[in-house]
Amino acid sequence: MLRSQQNRIGKPLYLIYPGEHFASNENCFIGTIVGTCLAVSLFDSARRVGGLINFVVPGTIGTGGILEDEIARIGILNMEYLMADMVKLGCNRHFMKAKIFGAGHVDSIKKEQNLVDSNILFVREYFEVEKIPIEKEDLGGNFRRKIYFSPRDGVVYRQILKNNSEFSEFIQLEKEYVESEFRNRSRVGKIILFD
Amino acid sequence: MNRYIVVIDDSPTIRVSVEMALKQMGLPIVQAENGQDALDKISKIKGDGDDVAICISDINMPVMNGLEFIAEFRKVDKFAPVVVLTTEAEKDMIQKGKEAGASGWIIKPFQAEDLLNVVKRFVK
């Protein structure tokens, strides 16, 4: 993540890269660029705290849905990281609302035929199970998106990006991130027994 | 007398996933969305003459977090195992969990089979 104080927005800007998340109660912006990946913002209106995540579910989710799927658990884990940081700032899921962006059919990443559709399916089903309303969604298309999220009021500014050459660093980082998620998708955590 | 598995997490997705993973234990499962909710449900379980077989608890939850829950739970039950299931991986936090009275610590992501094996180890 990159923090910039000197910018034309006039507020601190936290730029998150593919695979990263950030939650804050500061008067700031959190920004990212997504192509294939999903950008999800969460806003707790009671606490006036928000968070943004940029991630991918590395594979195709089976017909059983996200609760019975090994690949989906990676997506759930990513959302848990963001949720945990928001809870540490005093948030409660009951007051959260989501906005979802990305899952674009961009040329540079073609790991699996249904990757993009599967990511869209994942994020919709996840918030349905979590009973968190989706306030806005802007998914699919064949372009990338630049997202600026204001965590104090939940406002998202979205810009469609047509000129890829301007964002080549992000494009390369997203490609590397997606490939690494595919390589590590069967990872498991750690078990520590005290007794 | 029934022995209950108590699953404590503010995420419905995780609660349902854990319940599905532990279904084959054949024990009744109670879900709670935070530590206080769990204590209320455990109080009712014990009040009805039943008991807690094991608690599976998250750490970061609103109202009452996992560490607070374990400390409070230990005041009413010194023996039932509490296994923490969390994204928290910091050594300090794990040590605090152990000191509060946790029996184990699972860092997500978890596989259903692994969780089941941990629970089987504690619940005979």
Side-chain angles (χ1 to χ4, degrees), chain A residues 47-59:
Chain A
R47 285 280 176 175
R48 306 196 73 73
V49 173
L52 184 71
I53 187 166
N54 178 332
F55 73 104
V56 72
V57 182

Side-chain angles (χ1 to χ4, degrees), chain A residues 66-68 70 73-74 76-77 80-81 83-85 87-88 90-94 126 129-131 186-195, chain B residues 9-14 16-17 20 33 58 60-63 87-88 94 97-98 102-111 114 118 121-122:
Chain A
I66 67 167
L67 292 170
E68 293 184 29
E70 279 295 301
R73 77 196 167 91
I74 299 297
I76 293 169
L77 177 72
E80 284 289 302
Y81 288 136
M83 293 278 192
D85 281 359
V87 169
K88 285 178 196 168
C91 296
N92 188 319
R93 284 169 207 246
H94 292 305
Y126 176 79
V129 177
E130 289 287 329
K131 297 185 177 64
S186 53
R187 67 183 181 270
V188 288
K190 199 172 170 185
I191 298 172
I192 302 158
L193 300 178
F194 301 135
D195 289 347
Chain B
D9 201 303
D10 57 330
S11 164
T13 312
I14 300 296
V16 175
S17 303
M20 285 165 72
E33 63 177 48
D58 188 16
N60 297 304
M61 295 179 285
V63 185
T87 53
E88 290 289 343
I94 296 171
K98 186 180 177 184
S103 318
W105 194 282
I106 301 176
I107 301 164
K108 294 172 189 170
F110 69 97
Q111 281 188 319
D114 292 338
V118 168
R121 185 184 184 278
F122 285 111

Side-chain angles (χ1 to χ4, degrees), chain A residues 169-184:
Chain A
E169 185 199 2
F170 254 94
I171 293 167
Q172 184 57 30
L173 285 171
E174 185 178 70
K175 194 166 181 281
E176 286 168 11
Y177 162 68
V178 172
E179 280 169 3
S180 121
E181 284 296 280
F182 265 83
R183 278 196 305 274
N184 299 318

Side-chain angles (χ1 to χ4, degrees), chain A residues 71-118:
Chain A
I71 300 296
R73 77 196 167 91
I74 299 297
I76 293 169
L77 177 72
N78 277 296
M79 288 307 305
E80 284 289 302
Y81 288 136
L82 177 61
M83 293 278 192
D85 281 359
M86 290 184 68
V87 169
K88 285 178 196 168
L89 292 170
C91 296
N92 188 319
R93 284 169 207 246
H94 292 305
F95 304 113
M96 286 185 193
K97 286 178 179 169
K99 293 180 182 176
I100 54 181
F101 303 89
H105 296 267
V106 290
D107 290 338
S108 58
I109 302 167
K110 282 181 180 166
K111 291 297 292 188
E112 282 186 18
Q113 183 115 35
N114 298 322
L115 178 65
V116 163
D117 294 339
S118 194

Side-chain angles (χ1 to χ4, degrees), chain A residues 32 34-35 37-43 51-55 79 82 97-104 119-128 132-140 145 147 149 154 156 158:
Chain A
T32 198
V34 278
C37 291
L38 292 162
V40 175
S41 75
L42 288 174
F43 177 61
L52 184 71
I53 187 166
N54 178 332
F55 73 104
M79 288 307 305
L82 177 61
K97 286 178 179 169
K99 293 180 182 176
I100 54 181
F101 303 89
N119 270 260
I120 293 172
L121 187 143
F122 166 81
V123 75
R124 286 178 180 154
E125 191 179 337
Y126 176 79
F127 285 117
E128 191 183 327
I132 293 175
I134 298 172
E135 262 193 331
K136 178 170 178 57
E137 66 167 62
D138 175 36
L139 302 165
R145 296 160 170 92
I147 305 293
F149 171 60
V156 174
R158 186 270 286 143

